[in-house]
Amino acid sequence: RRRHSFPTRRSSDQEAYRIRKNRYDQGLEKSSDLLMSETTMSQKDLEYQQAIFEYNVALEYYKFLKQ
């Protein structure tokens, strides 16, 4: 179940950024708020990629030990 929470969280961060970007383009949002949202989105994307990497390393290690 936890495996499926990353894409959901990731897409919600992307949506939050998209909304802030639209508001910034209309002059309703400060640039610092937009940058904070972009930073959060990037951090979540990095966490997602790191989780995939760690999963793949563990899987290959398991295959190696199983030989």
Side-chain angles (χ1 to χ4, degrees):
R1 186 167 257 228
R2 185 176 186 152
R3 184 175 166 210
H4 298 290
S5 68
F6 273 116
T8 303
R9 185 181 303 158
R10 189 171 166 214
S11 64
S12 68
D13 289 329
Q14 290 171 337
E15 179 66 11
Y17 172 75
R18 187 190 66 77
I19 291 169
R20 284 208 187 253
K21 174 81 168 97
N22 286 341
R23 290 179 50 86
Y24 175 77
D25 291 342
Q26 296 172 7
L28 302 171
E29 206 62 57
K30 296 185 290 186
S31 60
S32 60
D33 293 335
L34 180 63
L35 289 172
M36 186 64 81
S37 182
E38 186 175 7
T39 300
T40 300
M41 185 179 66
S42 295
Q43 287 173 335
K44 297 302 177 184
D45 189 49
L46 178 61
E47 289 173 7
Y48 176 72
Q49 296 300 328
Q50 184 68 30
I52 291 172
F53 174 77
E54 289 174 5
Y55 170 80
N56 287 328
V57 168
L59 182 61
E60 292 304 315
Y61 186 63
Y62 171 75
K63 289 177 184 177
F64 172 74
L65 291 177
K66 196 173 171 184
Q67 291 180 354

